[in-house]
Coordinates of all heavy atoms in Angstrom, one line a residue:
M19 N -8.6 3.0 -13.9 CA -8.3 3.0 -12.5 C -6.8 2.9 -12.4 O -6.2 2.0 -12.9 CB -9.0 2.0 -11.7 CG -8.8 2.0 -10.2 SD -9.6 0.7 -9.3 CE -11.3 1.2 -9.4
S20 N -6.2 3.8 -11.6 CA -4.7 3.8 -11.4 C -4.3 2.7 -10.4 O -5.2 2.2 -9.8 CB -4.3 5.1 -10.9 OG -4.6 5.3 -9.6
R21 N -3.1 2.3 -10.5 CA -2.6 1.3 -9.6 C -2.8 1.7 -8.1 O -3.1 0.8 -7.3 CB -1.1 1.0 -9.9 CG -0.5 0.0 -9.0 CD -1.1 -1.4 -9.3 NE -0.5 -2.4 -8.5 CZ -1.1 -3.5 -7.9 NH1 -2.4 -3.6 -8.1 NH2 -0.5 -4.3 -7.1
R22 N -2.6 2.9 -7.8 CA -2.8 3.4 -6.5 C -4.2 3.2 -6.1 O -4.5 2.7 -4.9 CB -2.4 4.9 -6.3 CG -2.7 5.5 -4.9 CD -2.1 6.8 -4.8 NE -0.7 6.9 -4.8 CZ 0.1 6.5 -3.8 NH1 -0.4 6.0 -2.7 NH2 1.4 6.6 -4.0
E23 N -5.2 3.5 -6.9 CA -6.6 3.4 -6.6 C -7.0 1.9 -6.4 O -7.7 1.5 -5.5 CB -7.5 4.0 -7.6 CG -7.4 5.5 -7.7 CD -8.1 6.1 -8.9 OE1 -8.2 5.5 -10.0 OE2 -8.5 7.3 -8.8
E24 N -6.4 1.0 -7.2 CA -6.6 -0.4 -7.1 C -6.1 -0.9 -5.8 O -6.8 -1.6 -5.1 CB -5.9 -1.1 -8.2 CG -6.5 -0.9 -9.6 CD -5.7 -1.6 -10.7 OE1 -4.8 -2.4 -10.4 OE2 -5.9 -1.4 -11.8
L25 N -4.9 -0.5 -5.4 CA -4.4 -0.9 -4.1 C -5.1 -0.4 -2.9 O -5.4 -1.2 -2.0 CB -2.9 -0.5 -4.0 CG -1.8 -1.2 -4.9 CD1 -0.5 -0.6 -4.8 CD2 -1.8 -2.7 -4.4
E26 N -5.5 0.9 -3.0 CA -6.3 1.4 -1.9 C -7.7 0.7 -1.8 O -8.1 0.4 -0.6 CB -6.6 2.9 -2.2 CG -5.4 3.8 -2.0 CD -5.6 5.2 -2.5 OE1 -6.6 5.5 -3.2 OE2 -4.7 6.1 -2.1
K27 N -8.3 0.3 -2.9 CA -9.6 -0.4 -2.8 C -9.3 -1.8 -2.3 O -10.1 -2.2 -1.4 CB -10.1 -0.5 -4.2 CG -11.4 -1.2 -4.3 CD -12.0 -1.2 -5.7 CE -13.4 -1.9 -5.7 NZ -14.0 -2.0 -7.1
E28 N -8.3 -2.5 -2.7 CA -8.0 -3.9 -2.1 C -7.7 -3.8 -0.6 O -8.1 -4.7 0.1 CB -6.9 -4.5 -2.9 CG -7.2 -4.8 -4.3 CD -6.0 -5.4 -5.1 OE1 -5.3 -6.3 -4.5 OE2 -5.9 -5.1 -6.2
V29 N -6.9 -2.8 -0.2 CA -6.7 -2.6 1.2 C -7.9 -2.4 2.0 O -8.1 -3.0 3.0 CB -5.6 -1.4 1.5 CG1 -5.6 -1.0 2.9 CG2 -4.3 -1.9 0.9
D30 N -8.8 -1.5 1.4 CA -10.1 -1.3 2.2 C -10.9 -2.5 2.3 O -11.5 -2.8 3.3 CB -10.9 -0.2 1.4 CG -10.3 1.2 1.6 OD1 -9.5 1.5 2.5 OD2 -10.7 2.1 0.8
I31 N -11.0 -3.3 1.2 CA -11.7 -4.5 1.3 C -11.1 -5.5 2.3 O -11.9 -6.1 3.1 CB -11.7 -5.2 -0.2 CG1 -12.5 -4.4 -1.1 CG2 -12.2 -6.7 -0.1 CD1 -12.4 -4.8 -2.6
L32 N -9.8 -5.6 2.4 CA -9.3 -6.6 3.3 C -9.5 -6.0 4.8 O -9.7 -6.8 5.7 CB -7.8 -6.7 3.0 CG -7.5 -7.8 2.0 CD1 -6.1 -7.8 1.6 CD2 -7.9 -9.2 2.5
E33 N -9.4 -4.7 5.0 CA -9.7 -4.1 6.3 C -11.0 -4.5 6.8 O -11.2 -4.9 7.9 CB -9.5 -2.6 6.3 CG -8.1 -2.1 6.3 CD -8.0 -0.6 6.2 OE1 -9.0 0.0 5.8 OE2 -7.0 -0.1 6.7
K34 N -12.0 -4.4 5.9 CA -13.4 -4.6 6.3 C -13.5 -6.1 6.5 O -14.2 -6.6 7.4 CB -14.4 -4.2 5.2 CG -14.4 -2.7 5.1 CD -15.3 -2.2 3.9 CE -15.2 -0.7 3.8 NZ -15.8 -0.2 2.7
R35 N -12.9 -7.0 5.6 CA -13.0 -8.4 5.7 C -12.5 -8.9 7.1 O -13.1 -9.7 7.8 CB -12.3 -9.1 4.6 CG -12.4 -10.6 4.7 CD -11.7 -11.3 3.5 NE -12.3 -10.9 2.3 CZ -11.8 -11.1 1.1 NH1 -10.6 -11.6 1.0 NH2 -12.5 -10.8 0.0
I36 N -11.3 -8.3 7.5 CA -10.7 -8.7 8.8 C -11.5 -8.2 10.0 O -11.8 -9.0 10.9 CB -9.3 -8.2 8.8 CG1 -8.3 -8.9 7.8 CG2 -8.7 -8.2 10.2 CD1 -7.0 -8.3 7.6
A37 N -12.0 -7.0 9.9 CA -12.8 -6.4 10.9 C -14.1 -7.1 11.1 O -14.6 -7.3 12.3 CB -13.0 -4.9 10.7
D38 N -14.7 -7.5 10.1 CA -16.1 -8.2 10.1 C -16.0 -9.6 10.1 O -17.1 -10.3 10.1 CB -16.9 -7.7 8.9 CG -17.1 -6.1 8.9 OD1 -17.0 -5.6 10.0 OD2 -17.4 -5.6 7.8
A39 N -14.9 -10.3 10.3 CA -14.7 -11.7 10.2 C -15.5 -12.3 11.5 O -15.3 -11.8 12.6 CB -13.3 -12.1 10.2
P40 N -16.2 -13.3 11.2 CA -16.8 -14.1 12.4 C -15.8 -14.6 13.3 O -14.7 -14.9 12.9 CB -17.6 -15.3 11.7 CG -17.7 -14.9 10.3 CD -16.5 -14.0 9.9
K41 N -16.2 -14.7 14.6 CA -15.2 -15.1 15.6 C -14.7 -16.6 15.4 O -13.7 -16.9 15.8 CB -15.8 -15.0 17.0 CG -16.1 -13.6 17.5 CD -16.6 -13.5 18.8 CE -16.9 -12.1 19.1 NZ -16.4 -11.6 20.3
D42 N -15.5 -17.3 14.6 CA -15.1 -18.7 14.4 C -14.2 -18.9 13.1 O -14.0 -20.0 12.6 CB -16.3 -19.7 14.4 CG -17.3 -19.3 13.3 OD1 -17.2 -18.2 12.7 OD2 -18.2 -20.2 13.1
T43 N -13.8 -17.8 12.5 CA -13.0 -17.8 11.3 C -11.7 -18.5 11.7 O -11.0 -18.1 12.7 CB -12.7 -16.4 10.8 OG1 -13.9 -15.8 10.5 CG2 -11.8 -16.5 9.5
P44 N -11.3 -19.5 10.9 CA -10.0 -20.3 11.2 C -8.8 -19.3 11.3 O -8.7 -18.4 10.5 CB -9.9 -21.3 10.1 CG -11.2 -21.5 9.6 CD -12.0 -20.1 9.7
K45 N -7.9 -19.6 12.3 CA -6.7 -18.8 12.4 C -5.9 -18.7 11.1 O -5.4 -17.7 10.7 CB -5.8 -19.4 13.5 CG -4.6 -18.6 13.8 CD -3.8 -19.2 14.9 CE -2.6 -18.4 15.3 NZ -1.9 -17.7 14.2
Y46 N -5.8 -19.8 10.4 CA -5.0 -19.8 9.2 C -5.6 -18.8 8.1 O -4.9 -18.2 7.3 CB -4.8 -21.2 8.6 CG -6.0 -21.9 7.9 CD1 -6.2 -21.6 6.6 CD2 -6.9 -22.6 8.7 CE1 -7.4 -22.2 6.0 CE2 -8.0 -23.1 8.1 CZ -8.3 -23.0 6.7 OH -9.3 -23.5 6.2
V47 N -6.9 -18.7 8.1 CA -7.6 -17.8 7.2 C -7.3 -16.3 7.6 O -6.9 -15.5 6.7 CB -9.1 -18.0 7.1 CG1 -9.8 -17.0 6.3 CG2 -9.4 -19.4 6.5
M48 N -7.4 -16.1 8.9 CA -7.1 -14.7 9.4 C -5.7 -14.4 9.1 O -5.4 -13.2 8.7 CB -7.5 -14.6 10.9 CG -8.9 -14.7 11.2 SD -10.0 -13.4 10.5 CE -9.4 -12.0 11.4
D49 N -4.8 -15.3 9.4 CA -3.4 -15.1 9.1 C -3.1 -14.7 7.6 O -2.4 -13.8 7.3 CB -2.5 -16.3 9.5 CG -2.5 -16.4 11.0 OD1 -2.8 -15.5 11.7 OD2 -2.0 -17.5 11.5
A50 N -3.7 -15.5 6.7 CA -3.6 -15.2 5.3 C -4.2 -13.8 4.9 O -3.5 -13.1 4.1 CB -4.3 -16.3 4.4
W51 N -5.3 -13.4 5.5 CA -5.8 -12.1 5.2 C -4.9 -11.0 5.7 O -4.7 -10.0 5.1 CB -7.3 -12.0 5.8 CG -8.3 -12.8 5.1 CD1 -8.2 -13.4 3.9 CD2 -9.6 -13.0 5.6 NE1 -9.4 -14.1 3.6 CE2 -10.2 -13.9 4.6 CE3 -10.2 -12.7 6.8 CZ2 -11.6 -14.3 4.8 CZ3 -11.5 -13.2 7.0 CH2 -12.2 -13.9 6.0
R52 N -4.4 -11.2 7.0 CA -3.5 -10.2 7.5 C -2.3 -10.1 6.7 O -1.7 -9.0 6.5 CB -3.2 -10.6 9.0 CG -4.3 -10.3 9.9 CD -3.9 -10.5 11.4 NE -5.1 -10.3 12.2 CZ -5.7 -11.4 12.9 NH1 -5.1 -12.5 12.8 NH2 -6.8 -11.1 13.6
Q53 N -1.7 -11.2 6.2 CA -0.5 -11.2 5.4 C -0.8 -10.5 4.1 O 0.0 -9.7 3.6 CB 0.0 -12.6 5.1 CG 1.3 -12.7 4.3 CD 2.4 -12.0 5.0 OE1 2.7 -12.3 6.2 NE2 3.2 -11.1 4.3
A54 N -1.9 -10.8 3.5 CA -2.3 -10.1 2.2 C -2.5 -8.6 2.5 O -2.0 -7.8 1.6 CB -3.6 -10.7 1.6
Y55 N -3.0 -8.2 3.6 CA -3.2 -6.9 3.9 C -1.8 -6.2 4.1 O -1.6 -5.1 3.6 CB -4.0 -6.7 5.2 CG -4.1 -5.3 5.8 CD1 -5.0 -4.4 5.2 CD2 -3.2 -4.9 6.8 CE1 -5.1 -3.1 5.7 CE2 -3.3 -3.6 7.2 CZ -4.3 -2.7 6.7 OH -4.3 -1.4 7.2
D56 N -1.0 -6.8 4.8 CA 0.4 -6.3 5.0 C 1.1 -6.1 3.7 O 1.8 -5.1 3.5 CB 1.2 -7.2 5.9 CG 0.8 -7.1 7.4 OD1 0.0 -6.2 7.8 OD2 1.1 -8.1 8.2
D57 N 1.0 -7.1 2.8 CA 1.7 -7.0 1.5 C 1.1 -5.8 0.6 O 1.9 -5.1 0.1 CB 1.5 -8.3 0.7 CG 2.3 -9.5 1.4 OD1 3.2 -9.2 2.2 OD2 2.0 -10.6 1.0
L58 N -0.2 -5.7 0.6 CA -0.8 -4.6 -0.1 C -0.4 -3.3 0.4 O -0.2 -2.3 -0.3 CB -2.3 -4.8 -0.2 CG -2.8 -6.0 -1.1 CD1 -4.3 -6.2 -0.9 CD2 -2.4 -5.8 -2.5
S59 N -0.5 -3.2 1.8 CA -0.2 -1.9 2.5 C 1.3 -1.5 2.1 O 1.6 -0.4 1.9 CB -0.4 -2.0 4.0 OG -1.7 -2.2 4.2
F60 N 2.2 -2.5 2.2 CA 3.6 -2.3 1.8 C 3.7 -1.8 0.4 O 4.4 -0.7 0.1 CB 4.4 -3.5 2.1 CG 5.9 -3.4 1.7 CD1 6.7 -2.8 2.7 CD2 6.4 -3.7 0.5 CE1 8.1 -2.7 2.3 CE2 7.7 -3.5 0.1 CZ 8.6 -3.0 1.1
D61 N 3.0 -2.5 -0.5 CA 3.1 -2.0 -1.9 C 2.5 -0.6 -2.1 O 3.1 0.2 -2.8 CB 2.3 -2.9 -2.8 CG 3.0 -4.4 -3.0 OD1 4.2 -4.4 -2.6 OD2 2.3 -5.3 -3.4
L62 N 1.4 -0.3 -1.4 CA 0.8 1.0 -1.5 C 1.8 2.1 -1.0 O 1.9 3.2 -1.5 CB -0.5 1.0 -0.8 CG -1.3 2.3 -0.8 CD1 -1.7 2.8 -2.2 CD2 -2.6 2.2 0.0
N63 N 2.3 1.8 0.2 CA 3.2 2.8 0.9 C 4.5 3.1 0.0 O 5.1 4.1 0.2 CB 3.5 2.4 2.3 CG 2.4 2.5 3.2 OD1 1.4 3.3 2.9 ND2 2.4 1.7 4.2
N64 N 4.9 2.1 -0.8 CA 6.1 2.2 -1.5 C 5.9 2.5 -3.0 O 6.8 2.5 -3.8 CB 7.0 1.0 -1.4 CG 7.5 0.9 0.0 OD1 8.2 1.7 0.5 ND2 7.1 -0.2 0.7
L65 N 4.6 2.7 -3.4 CA 4.3 3.0 -4.7 C 4.8 4.4 -5.1 O 4.7 5.4 -4.4 CB 2.8 3.0 -4.9 CG 2.2 3.1 -6.3 CD1 2.6 1.9 -7.1 CD2 0.7 3.3 -6.3
Y66 N 5.4 4.5 -6.3 CA 5.9 5.7 -6.8 C 5.0 6.2 -7.9 O 4.8 5.4 -8.9 CB 7.4 5.5 -7.4 CG 8.0 6.8 -8.0 CD1 8.4 7.8 -7.2 CD2 8.0 7.0 -9.4 CE1 9.0 8.9 -7.7 CE2 8.5 8.1 -9.9 CZ 9.0 9.1 -9.0 OH 9.5 10.2 -9.6
D67 N 4.3 7.3 -7.7 CA 3.4 7.8 -8.6 C 4.1 8.6 -9.7 O 5.0 9.4 -9.4 CB 2.4 8.8 -8.0 CG 1.4 8.1 -7.1 OD1 1.1 7.0 -7.5 OD2 0.9 8.7 -6.2
D68 N 3.8 8.3 -11.0 CA 4.4 9.1 -12.1 C 3.8 10.6 -12.0 O 4.5 11.5 -12.4 CB 4.0 8.5 -13.3 CG 4.8 7.3 -13.6 OD1 5.9 7.1 -13.0 OD2 4.3 6.4 -14.4
E69 N 2.6 10.7 -11.6 CA 2.0 12.1 -11.5 C 2.8 12.9 -10.3 O 2.9 12.3 -9.3 CB 0.5 12.0 -11.1 CG -0.3 11.3 -12.2 CD -1.7 11.2 -11.8 OE1 -2.1 11.7 -10.7 OE2 -2.4 10.5 -12.5
G70 N 3.2 14.0 -10.7 CA 3.9 14.8 -9.7 C 5.3 14.5 -9.5 O 6.0 15.0 -8.6
A71 N 5.8 13.5 -10.3 CA 7.2 13.1 -10.1 C 8.1 14.2 -10.4 O 9.2 14.3 -9.8 CB 7.5 11.9 -10.9
D72 N 7.7 15.1 -11.2 CA 8.6 16.2 -11.6 C 8.7 17.2 -10.4 O 9.7 18.0 -10.4 CB 8.0 17.0 -12.8 CG 6.6 17.5 -12.5 OD1 5.9 16.9 -11.8 OD2 6.2 18.5 -13.2
L73 N 8.0 17.1 -9.4 CA 8.2 17.9 -8.2 C 9.4 17.5 -7.4 O 10.0 18.2 -6.7 CB 7.0 17.7 -7.2 CG 5.7 18.2 -7.8 CD1 4.6 17.9 -6.8 CD2 5.7 19.7 -8.0
F74 N 9.9 16.2 -7.6 CA 11.0 15.7 -6.9 C 12.3 15.6 -7.8 O 13.3 15.3 -7.3 CB 10.7 14.3 -6.4 CG 9.4 14.3 -5.5 CD1 8.3 13.8 -5.9 CD2 9.6 14.8 -4.2 CE1 7.1 13.8 -5.1 CE2 8.4 14.9 -3.4 CZ 7.2 14.3 -3.9
V75 N 12.2 16.0 -9.0 CA 13.4 15.9 -9.9 C 13.7 17.2 -10.2 O 12.9 18.1 -10.7 CB 13.0 15.1 -11.2 CG1 14.2 15.0 -12.1 CG2 12.6 13.7 -10.8
S76 N 15.0 17.5 -10.1 CA 15.5 18.9 -10.4 C 16.7 18.8 -11.4 O 17.5 17.9 -11.3 CB 16.0 19.6 -9.1 OG 16.6 20.7 -9.4
D77 N 16.7 19.7 -12.3 CA 17.8 19.8 -13.3 C 19.0 20.4 -12.7 O 20.2 20.2 -13.1 CB 17.4 20.6 -14.5 CG 16.3 19.9 -15.3 OD1 16.3 18.7 -15.2 OD2 15.6 20.6 -16.1
E78 N 18.8 21.1 -11.6 CA 20.0 21.7 -10.9 C 20.6 20.7 -9.9 O 19.9 19.9 -9.3 CB 19.5 23.0 -10.1 CG 18.9 24.0 -11.0 CD 18.5 25.2 -10.2 OE1 19.1 25.5 -9.1 OE2 17.6 25.9 -10.6
E79 N 21.9 20.8 -9.8 CA 22.5 20.0 -8.8 C 22.7 20.8 -7.5 O 23.0 22.0 -7.6 CB 23.9 19.5 -9.3 CG 23.7 18.5 -10.5 CD 25.0 17.8 -10.8 OE1 25.8 17.7 -9.8 OE2 25.2 17.4 -11.9
G80 N 22.5 20.1 -6.4 CA 22.7 20.8 -5.1 C 24.2 21.1 -4.8 O 25.1 20.6 -5.6
P81 N 24.5 21.8 -3.8 CA 25.9 22.1 -3.4 C 26.6 20.7 -3.0 O 26.1 19.9 -2.4 CB 25.8 23.0 -2.2 CG 24.5 22.8 -1.7 CD 23.6 22.4 -2.9
E82 N 27.8 20.6 -3.6 CA 28.6 19.4 -3.3 C 29.2 19.5 -1.9 O 29.2 18.5 -1.2 CB 29.8 19.3 -4.3 CG 29.4 19.1 -5.7 CD 28.7 17.7 -5.9 OE1 29.3 16.7 -5.2 OE2 27.8 17.6 -6.6
S83 N 29.6 20.6 -1.5 CA 30.1 20.8 -0.2 C 29.9 22.3 0.3 O 29.8 23.1 -0.5 CB 31.6 20.5 -0.1 OG 32.4 21.3 -0.8
V84 N 29.9 22.5 1.5 CA 29.8 23.9 2.1 C 31.2 24.3 2.4 O 31.9 23.7 3.2 CB 28.9 23.8 3.3 CG1 28.8 25.3 3.9 CG2 27.5 23.3 3.0
D85 N 31.6 25.5 1.9 CA 32.9 26.1 2.1 C 32.8 27.1 3.2 O 32.0 27.9 3.3 CB 33.4 26.7 0.8 CG 33.8 25.7 -0.2 OD1 34.3 24.6 0.2 OD2 33.4 25.9 -1.4

């Protein structure tokens, strides 16, 4: 399983846990789950995939200036 898939799975689990939490769940627990969700979402959104990376790398240099 790739790192992206792991993060997506963890984010899904936390989304469900937060959505399905009983109303009497302590605030500190909900806050911890939300923080974990935010951290994982941030990691997922900033993950750099090696696959397809060559789409963003070019051997050619762009124009330095427009004359």
Side-chain angles (χ1 to χ4, degrees):
M19 181 180 292
S20 72
R21 180 66 179 143
R22 176 172 296 282
E23 291 170 334
E24 290 175 11
L25 286 171
E26 288 170 346
K27 183 176 180 180
E28 291 179 42
V29 166
D30 287 342
I31 290 169
L32 279 170
E33 281 179 337
K34 290 175 187 168
R35 183 179 293 165
I36 291 168
D38 297 340
K41 292 185 184 227
D42 61 346
T43 302
K45 183 182 180 323
Y46 73 91
V47 172
M48 293 298 293
D49 290 344
W51 288 347
R52 287 188 186 108
Q53 183 62 50
Y55 173 82
D56 289 345
D57 292 344
L58 289 171
S59 295
F60 180 82
D61 290 345
L62 180 60
N63 290 333
N64 290 298
L65 185 66
Y66 179 77
D67 288 331
D68 288 337
E69 297 174 9
D72 56 334
L73 297 175
F74 302 105
V75 177
S76 173
D77 291 337
E78 297 179 29
E79 293 193 26
E82 293 293 321
S83 63
V84 176
D85 292 317

